Amino acid sequence: MTTRLMVRDRVIELVRAALVRGAAEGKWPEGEVGFTVDAPRDPRHGDFAVNAAMVLAKRAGRPPRELAAGIVEALRAVDTAGELVSLEVAGPGFINLRLNPDLWLRALERAVAAGPAYGRTTVGQGRKVIVEYVSANPTGPMHVGHGRNAVTGDGVQSLLRWAGYDVTREYYVNDFGAQVQTLGRSVHLRYQEALGRTVEFPAKAYPGEYVKEIGAALAAEFAGTYLDAPESEWLELFRDRAVEHVLGMIRGDLGAIQIQFDRWSSEKALYQSGTVERFIKDLEARDLVYVGQLPPPKSKKGAGSPPTGGAAAPPAGGTAPAQPPAGPDEEGMSASDQLTLFRSSSFGDEVDRPVKKADGTPTYFCADIAYHWEKRQRADLLIDVLGADHGGYVPRLKAAMEALGHSRDDLHVVLIQMVNLTRGGEAVKMGKRSGNVVWLREVVEEVGCDATRYLFLTRRSDAPLDFDLELAKKQTLDNPVFYVQYGHARLHAIFRKAAETGVALPSFSLDDARRLTSPEETELVRRIASFPDLLAGAAQAFEPHRVVFYLQEIIAAFHSWYTQGKRTGERVLGSDPGTTRARLFLCLGLAQVIANGLAVLGVSAPQRMELPETGDIGADA
RNA sequence: GGGCCCUUAGCUCAGAUGGAUAGAGCGUCGGACUACGAAUCCGAAGGCCACUGGUUCGAAUCCAGUAGGGCCCA
């Protein structure tokens, strides 16, 4: 498909041309002007407002309104096709302009013509980007917090795809650190138990039912072979088997919310392939590391208070979106150790971070930046979707990017805040202490995939989210996903009705479309036309929630228009064939935009929905 | 004690790179169906955009500080 301009782009193009023209005539200084073209809040101000005169005022040393008049003049001269039908200077120096309505109608035509591809743009220019999300430790099934990370990350990658980026969806598996070792030991305990022993479970062992299953499976496979064997003989095997099993569960959890990855990167493989070693050599070659000691803690209570020991993180996370990777501080290093430190403080981090422990083994952080180093070789832009508890981790990752000769903006981190699960407004008890974790799978099975996905995206990702199970199940307007899907179904009900009454779905005709003259109809057309812009903006800000709000607004506008038509008698299917075709075509555009917006979010767009049990309308009274 | 995020209507939240009179939903009150989905819509009431200063033509938005909440690290 040819790259056609969006309506707003056309305006930008015209303004730019006008500015060049005026500068050439000596009306104002030459050079780029950082102007904006916005749809004003108040529709009476026109289709778009341009602030170029105000921006230019400083440089030109002339009052904005005077400049605006000049720009208007230049715009008239540049607009040879007559696309701008009204231009006026307003307020402090805005140029309000109105477009030939046909331009909007043509945009509607394009929306329907593009069909399921409507909204795709090329702003990403095929840039390679890796979106890493979920990356939950393979020590248990996904909980609700992971779900929000997964859905948000998936929304981000989807947006980037729609915006023309070359996207790889990636999951980083922490299959090497202390936590999976703990899992391996926990499984071994269950293995012993399965073979008839009575064993005690230390507090830090993983409690889940799945641990028991893995233990039992290994008991069946190996019988007593590893019953009394030293840990060195079984730990790696048990760990790997457990990880494999848990990853299977995680894949299942992801499948339940329809998320797939293009690539699963393994921490263990980073070591085995020598990537970590190569990375450290690279650091040494660039003189980015040195041997030294950890800086003393900033605590006031007595210098040299020892860092906490290497206790493994608690097994099952509470509501944290992602389980924290064991930071360097949890790896049992003390202040007196001679460590290999990375000069991250020279690149904006607070302190230098250890990449090798006293015994020469790499730290978790080391593997992690090695991973980013390796990823950056495969892509131009890296996105990490992390739990908000990793906020402190971001500066050192960015420092690493810069130290390695990239831009710190080549890595963008999307932070995901906590999910507060409620049922009918009351908090569902969750917490690390109680061990009462709510698994993602339970939620999906209760409320469905669509509601789960949609509701996770009803907030900016860095704001905490209340997720109410009762609301998610409700088939009423309080439930936002239902509201949008219902609107889509209603549009299709109109199409069905048209078919029943022998009205064919129209193809585009400008003459027909010109009958869309009411303010509500023009507004709907404009919203449809702005959809590609909305998607591109959301993609570049990595904010999938914007799509949710867009859908919410456009469907509300539709419902309003529809109901108003019922009252006034100006129905979609009316007595005048031309108007009927025009309105049907508008509905086609609406249905397409809703379907595509929902598709971006991975939510279905049903054409028909079941009536609730109460409203048995068809029954004769 | 240090760092990051946050504070907008009674409640839950939107406000794209600063734009004109700050918007939704819920809740409250009052209305609208012999149906192409009332699972909807219309109207009313509801605001010191936490506070103070700064930047400029212009600030909910950017900067500094203060207060309060969350997370991470000590």
Side-chain angles (χ1 to χ4, degrees), chain A residues 493-517:
Chain A
I494 297 173
F495 302 149
R496 284 192 291 272
K497 178 71 180 181
E500 283 170 25
T501 52
V503 178
L505 291 183
S507 50
F508 183 77
S509 140
L510 192 56
D511 281 339
D512 288 343
R514 282 177 176 150
R515 294 166 194 256
L516 298 171
T517 51

Side-chain angles (χ1 to χ4, degrees), chain A residues 292 331-334 336-340 354 356-361 363:
Chain A
E331 294 179 56
M333 287 171 285
S334 67
S336 57
D337 286 345
Q338 288 295 312
L339 309 165
T340 302
K356 274 192 197 174
K357 295 178 246 182
D359 62 4
T361 57
T363 59

Side-chain angles (χ1 to χ4, degrees), chain A residues 281-415:
Chain A
K281 289 231 168 63
D282 190 62
L283 287 181
E284 286 165 352
R286 292 165 187 258
D287 193 29
L288 290 170
V289 288
Y290 63 96
V291 174
Q293 297 180 344
L294 282 177
K298 289 174 187 171
S299 160
K300 280 185 179 176
K301 16 177 173 167
S305 63
T308 49
T319 58
Q323 295 199 12
D329 328 82
E330 295 179 354
E331 294 179 56
M333 287 171 285
S334 67
S336 57
D337 286 345
Q338 288 295 312
L339 309 165
T340 302
L341 295 163
F342 168 54
R343 300 184 192 279
S344 48
S345 65
S346 308
F347 302 93
D349 197 5
E350 276 177 84
V351 293
D352 293 337
R353 306 288 177 180
V355 290
K356 274 192 197 174
K357 295 178 246 182
D359 62 4
T361 57
T363 59
Y364 173 86
F365 173 60
C366 179
D368 207 26
I369 51 177
Y371 173 50
H372 283 79
W373 173 74
E374 182 270 332
K375 276 200 291 190
R376 183 59 183 77
Q377 292 167 11
R378 291 189 277 122
D380 309 310
L381 176 65
L382 306 180
I383 312 293
D384 284 6
V385 181
L386 300 175
D389 53 346
H390 289 55
Y393 206 65
V394 177
R396 64 188 86 164
L397 285 177
K398 287 197 167 255
M401 292 301 288
E402 200 175 337
L404 296 167
H406 306 297
S407 160
R408 41 199 309 120
D409 295 330
D410 289 354
L411 169 70
H412 186 270
V413 177
V414 177
L415 288 181

Side-chain angles (χ1 to χ4, degrees), chain A residues 550-610:
Chain A
Y550 169 87
L551 288 173
Q552 217 69 21
E553 282 169 13
I554 194 172
I555 206 65
F558 161 67
H559 283 312
S560 176
W561 171 64
Y562 178 89
T563 312
Q564 192 177 319
K566 274 176 83 165
R567 222 188 334 267
T568 60
E570 291 292 318
R571 312 284 277 163
V572 174
L573 307 174
S575 52
D576 179 71
T579 308
T580 297
R581 284 196 298 272
R583 290 185 180 147
L584 266 176
F585 199 83
L586 176 59
C587 288
L588 285 173
L590 282 169
Q592 193 64 65
V593 144
I594 304 300
N596 291 9
L598 288 172
V600 168
L601 305 178
V603 176
S604 71
Q607 300 188 353
R608 198 187 284 274
M609 293 175 88
E610 297 304 316

Side-chain angles (χ1 to χ4, degrees), chain A residues 145-293:
Chain A
H146 293 132
R148 185 177 186 192
N149 181 308
V151 167
T152 307
D154 208 49
V156 169
Q157 69 82 21
S158 170
L159 276 171
L160 290 170
R161 239 168 250 262
W162 277 73
Y165 288 83
D166 179 359
V167 180
T168 301
R169 300 166 292 185
E170 193 150 328
Y171 188 123
Y172 183 53
V173 184
N174 295 125
D175 51 3
F176 200 71
Q179 310 200 18
V180 285
Q181 303 253 9
T182 304
L183 177 66
R185 293 194 183 98
S186 307
V187 166
H188 190 259
L189 291 171
R190 290 300 186 187
Y191 159 83
Q192 294 176 51
E193 195 179 53
L195 292 169
R197 292 231 174 128
T198 309
V199 286
E200 269 185 38
F201 289 88
K204 68 173 191 176
Y206 286 90
E209 204 50 36
Y210 59 95
V211 180
K212 222 179 265 184
E213 289 167 19
I214 305 168
L218 290 174
E221 182 173 351
F222 298 111
T225 314
Y226 300 109
L227 208 45
D228 295 305
E231 192 174 279
S232 60
E233 284 179 25
W234 54 260
L235 182 56
E236 216 170 302
L237 172 71
F238 275 52
R239 177 196 68 190
D240 290 352
R241 288 304 188 89
V243 166
E244 198 181 321
H245 181 94
V246 172
L247 280 178
M249 298 168 66
I250 289 176
R251 279 195 176 87
D253 291 346
L254 289 167
I257 47 170
Q258 295 174 12
I259 287 178
Q260 292 186 335
F261 285 89
D262 300 307
R263 182 175 166 126
W264 297 71
S265 284
S266 142
E267 183 186 8
K268 190 173 127 192
L270 282 179
Y271 286 100
Q272 289 178 343
S273 65
T275 303
V276 175
E277 271 310 305
R278 278 203 307 281
F279 172 67
I280 292 174
K281 289 231 168 63
D282 190 62
L283 287 181
E284 286 165 352
R286 292 165 187 258
D287 193 29
L288 290 170
V289 288
Y290 63 96
V291 174
Q293 297 180 344

